[in-house]
Amino acid sequence: KPSLIHSVDSLHLAKEIQKQAIKHDCSCDILVEVNIAGEASKFGTSRDEAISLVEEIAKLDHIHIKGLMTIAPFVDDPEDIKQLSVDIAQKNIDNVSMNVMSMGMTGDYTVAIEEGATMVRVGTGIFGERDYSKAN
């Protein structure tokens, strides 16, 4: 069982996770991925759709929403993702906590922490650059 899935960006994906959790008689903690900058090259629900997506996923009893994840936290207003988390927390939705803010990677993790990240993704800093030239 995964301890935390970071990249749930649709109700369709959440329902599949629910289905697998039921099949394996477990529950799964997730983060809802938000494309806060609206970049076409990035995954994630839009800021405008995030709250309604959280409300729908929260109804799935084998999934527990623990917070938000974003790839691009540093847009015109870096407070935007933090405010979205606060807005969701203030709704007091059953099965939802906003304890985790996953943002920042090797190149920007210090700024992400300054902006409120509780979790950063620093694989490149630990393992080095990926080598895509090797065939599987």
Side-chain angles (χ1 to χ4, degrees):
K1 167 191 171 222
S3 61
L4 182 66
I5 298 176
H6 286 236
S7 53
V8 179
D9 63 354
S10 70
L11 184 57
H12 174 76
L13 178 56
K15 286 180 176 178
E16 181 60 31
I17 294 167
Q18 167 90 352
K19 178 179 160 187
Q20 294 301 318
I22 291 169
K23 181 177 170 182
H24 296 282
D25 192 28
C26 65
S27 61
C28 190
D29 294 343
I30 69 159
L31 301 179
V32 172
E33 182 177 1
V34 180
N35 184 346
I36 204 74
E39 294 179 76
S41 64
K42 302 280 191 259
F43 291 102
T45 189
S46 70
R47 190 210 191 290
D48 293 341
E49 295 173 354
I51 293 174
S52 62
L53 178 60
V54 166
E55 290 171 334
E56 288 301 310
I57 293 173
K59 296 173 186 174
L60 303 174
D61 61 351
H62 283 69
I63 293 179
H64 309 293
I65 300 171
K66 298 298 182 182
L68 303 176
M69 186 275 266
T70 188
I71 296 290
F74 312 114
V75 292
D76 294 335
D77 184 3
E79 297 288 316
D80 202 28
I81 190 72
K82 288 187 341 190
Q83 187 58 52
L84 177 59
S85 181
V86 168
D87 291 347
I88 292 170
Q90 288 177 341
K91 289 186 165 288
N92 292 317
I93 304 165
D94 286 344
N95 199 23
V96 174
S97 65
M98 285 288 119
N99 297 330
V100 179
M101 176 64 61
S102 176
M103 63 181 180
M105 300 197 306
T106 298
D108 60 8
Y109 75 91
T110 56
V111 177
I113 292 168
E114 289 171 5
E115 293 299 331
T118 61
M119 185 174 285
V120 293
R121 300 172 305 275
V122 292
T124 300
I126 296 169
F127 301 109
E129 294 289 332
R130 291 184 180 123
D131 184 356
Y132 292 104
S133 67
K134 295 179 182 175
N136 289 335

